[in-house]
Amino acid sequence: MPQHDYLGRYHRQMLLPEIGDSGQRRLNDASAVVIGVGALGSVSAELLVRAGVGRVVLVDRDVVELTNLQRQTLFAERDVGQPKAQAAARRLRSINGDVRVEPRAMDLDGLTAQDLVAGTDVLIDGTDNFETRYVINDAAIAAGIPAVFGGAVGVRGTVVPVVPGGPCLRCIAEEVPSGTDTCDTVGVFGPLIHLVAARQAAIGLRILLGLPVDARLESVDAMTGEWRRLDLSAARDDSCVCCGQRRFEFLSGSAGGRAVPMCGRASVHVTPASQRGIDLSAVEGALSPYGRFAATEGLVRGEFAEEQGDGGAAIGMMVFGDGRAIVTGTTDPARARSIYAKYVGG
């Protein structure tokens, strides 16, 4: 970037003593991976890109839905039906063309996490389920990479950083919590997303600048404006299965493939045993005799004419370029896997 453009774009934050010229150059040389580009992830990613973090990788397995637009600020109506990672990347590149924005329309699991995070400087959690957060936690600890976790449901949100030498998620809760509320069961207040994601981005930038980060849980009530902070420094457990014993159980992967119901939707995410690149034009041709299917950017989508799902709903399917699919109209993993095997194979 030419020097005058560099100074013009980042001048206001370079005035800050915590950043200055050297800090800005450090950000420009840094890399961040944002996992989940929904509500929290889209806001965090935008803040990192605007701040001039040199490389930002966007990971998401889903497509943009109309219900996302209430709070997921990178997307517009024209993006509905498109892979989130790619739609977000287009928007972020238009904001700052000097940042390398790399979309990854993929599922993060134990088999893909380690390669994905290798060589990055910070992980930002924008996911909507604890299982994936524990995969991120294992990958972060295994690679010695800081991670910043966030959650937002209803009007309350939380932020927890995990840094080398401090407590990890499994120090705080060894097992994956069950029965937790979700945005789809209790709703979510739009402004809460920005409060939580802004803190995640701020902590992520502190990490990239080499500034100290405290081990603490921050929670906020977006309706009242009340912030609470809980010191977690004493939560570090030397016997922790992850950071203490260094047993990374959530990186064991899903070698046999999996079919997982998606949060709050009549749909199932199907991952084949081997994620591989497939010819989407061939998939479109194979599916077209059975319904109305069309290839769009990065996927083939449509509905089957004679396949019925839950309550008589039409079965639909979106097939991605890496072989994954989202089967809509059912919450039954066995049914979704059967549909996938019948029409796509594997």
Side-chain angles (χ1 to χ4, degrees), residues 46-192:
E46 181 174 346
L47 291 170
L48 296 178
V49 166
R50 289 186 183 277
V53 175
R55 174 175 175 262
V56 178
V57 180
L58 309 175
V59 183
D60 202 290
R61 68 184 186 183
D62 206 353
V63 298
V64 180
E65 301 284 347
L66 187 63
T67 58
N68 299 153
L69 302 185
Q70 172 248 355
R71 62 199 179 280
Q72 299 184 17
T73 56
L74 288 181
F75 308 123
E77 291 179 356
R78 65 179 178 273
D79 298 316
V80 171
Q82 298 299 308
K84 284 185 177 179
Q86 294 175 358
R90 282 196 300 271
R91 170 64 176 149
L92 292 174
R93 287 168 181 154
S94 74
I95 292 172
N96 191 344
D98 295 302
V99 172
R100 288 171 52 200
V101 182
E102 302 177 9
R104 301 283 192 272
M106 60 181 288
D107 186 29
L108 184 86
D109 60 19
L111 295 178
T112 59
Q114 295 180 83
D115 288 342
L116 183 71
V117 308
T120 195
D121 299 303
V122 68
L123 308 178
I124 305 294
D125 160 49
T127 62
D128 61 3
N129 67 88
F130 277 99
E131 290 81 0
T132 307
R133 289 188 183 114
Y134 277 52
V135 172
I136 297 170
N137 183 72
D138 270 14
I141 298 300
I145 298 170
V148 187
F149 294 91
V153 176
V155 299
R156 297 195 65 86
T158 58
V159 179
V160 179
V162 168
V163 298
C168 76
L169 286 191
R170 299 196 73 181
C171 291
I172 302 167
E174 182 175 352
E175 302 298 329
V176 175
S178 61
T180 56
D181 291 330
T182 71
C183 296
D184 298 287
T185 58
V186 301
V188 61
F189 188 44
L192 171 66

Side-chain angles (χ1 to χ4, degrees), residues 124-311:
I124 305 294
D125 160 49
T127 62
D128 61 3
N129 67 88
F130 277 99
E131 290 81 0
T132 307
R133 289 188 183 114
Y134 277 52
V135 172
I136 297 170
N137 183 72
D138 270 14
I141 298 300
I145 298 170
V148 187
F149 294 91
V153 176
V155 299
R156 297 195 65 86
T158 58
V159 179
V160 179
V162 168
V163 298
C168 76
L169 286 191
R170 299 196 73 181
C171 291
I172 302 167
E174 182 175 352
E175 302 298 329
V176 175
S178 61
T180 56
D181 291 330
T182 71
C183 296
D184 298 287
T185 58
V186 301
V188 61
F189 188 44
L192 171 66
I193 299 301
H194 293 260
L195 290 171
V196 173
R199 279 300 295 150
Q200 286 186 271
I203 294 170
L205 290 170
R206 283 187 65 88
I207 289 169
L208 296 179
L209 289 165
L211 300 174
V213 172
D214 294 331
R216 65 186 184 188
L217 181 150
E218 300 181 20
S219 65
V220 60
D221 185 317
M223 280 292 187
T224 66
E226 179 183 14
W227 283 88
R228 294 183 179 180
R229 293 172 173 83
L230 176 65
D231 184 2
L232 295 178
S233 56
R236 168 69 192 229
D237 183 0
D238 291 337
S239 65
C240 170
V241 67
C242 179
C243 63
Q245 302 177 38
R246 298 189 65 80
R247 289 167 41 207
F248 305 116
E249 298 172 340
F250 289 87
L251 298 185
S252 59
S254 54
R258 59 178 181 168
V260 181
M262 300 188 74
C263 182
R265 293 161 54 186
S267 58
V268 178
H269 184 270
V270 179
T271 305
S274 175
Q275 290 193 56
R276 64 197 186 283
I278 60 175
D279 184 344
L280 290 178
S281 62
V283 171
E284 180 186 16
L287 292 177
S288 292
Y290 304 102
R292 299 181 61 182
F293 286 87
T296 60
E297 183 181 359
L299 57 84
V300 173
R301 66 181 299 155
E303 288 187 347
F304 295 99
E306 298 184 1
E307 296 282 0
Q308 289 191 338
D310 302 350

Side-chain angles (χ1 to χ4, degrees), residues 31-42:
S31 173
V33 175
V34 180
I35 303 161
V37 197
L40 295 177
S42 61

